Amino acid sequence: DTFDMRNGETIARVRVAAVDSPEKNQPFGPEAKRLTEKMSLERTVTVRWKDYDKRYDRYIGYVNCPGNKDLGETLLKAGLAWHYRAYDKDDVLQGMEDEARKSHRGLWKDEKNACAPWDWRHGKKTAFFK
């Protein structure tokens, strides 16, 4: 859910707004990375800026990829991200996560053992992921 974007000679770190994907060393992290790369790597994307994160020196925004596909929405629908409710209250995005859970897509194949990235980063890994 974070990547480097080139705009001419400028490179900016971008975090996809409203979603949180598994970490790269977390189950389903590599799948989330592959989907993000498939949609955005070496492609022209449009970012609608939402905020700037000084702590991590990155911009936060909604990423529109070729084919008019929203990257955050695509990750949610594929079951490769959580809707980041702590920072976004959009009911439509929450519905996308809920539908992926209900359909057991991606990381929701075993929902009771899914570990949110914010817990994973703080060492609260479940036994399933050890």
Side-chain angles (χ1 to χ4, degrees), residues 26 82 107-108 110-116 119 126 128-129:
Q26 184 177 355
W82 279 256
L107 60 94
W108 306 116
D110 187 6
E111 181 177 350
K112 68 179 182 172
N113 287 310
C115 180
D119 289 335
T126 65
F128 177 80
F129 293 117

Side-chain angles (χ1 to χ4, degrees), residues 37-103:
E37 287 176 342
K38 178 181 176 185
M39 292 184 66
S40 62
L41 188 64
E42 301 296 327
R43 295 173 180 255
T44 300
V45 301
T46 304
V47 179
R48 183 170 45 97
W49 304 114
K50 179 180 178 183
D51 204 354
Y52 180 74
D53 180 355
K54 290 180 186 176
R55 180 178 179 192
Y56 294 104
D57 189 28
R58 63 188 179 184
Y59 294 91
I60 300 169
Y62 299 93
V63 181
N64 194 14
C65 298
N68 202 30
K69 294 187 178 187
D70 182 278
L71 180 56
E73 290 179 5
T74 303
L75 288 164
L76 285 170
K77 289 176 183 177
L80 295 174
W82 279 256
H83 175 224
Y84 215 163
R85 292 179 292 245
Y87 298 99
D88 183 89
K89 304 300 182 199
D90 188 315
D91 291 336
V92 173
L93 294 177
Q94 185 57 51
M96 291 176 188
E97 178 188 317
D98 294 343
E99 179 57 33
R101 283 178 182 242
K102 182 177 154 186
S103 301

Side-chain angles (χ1 to χ4, degrees), residues 6-11:
R6 180 184 301 276
N7 184 4
E9 296 299 315
T10 304
I11 297 177

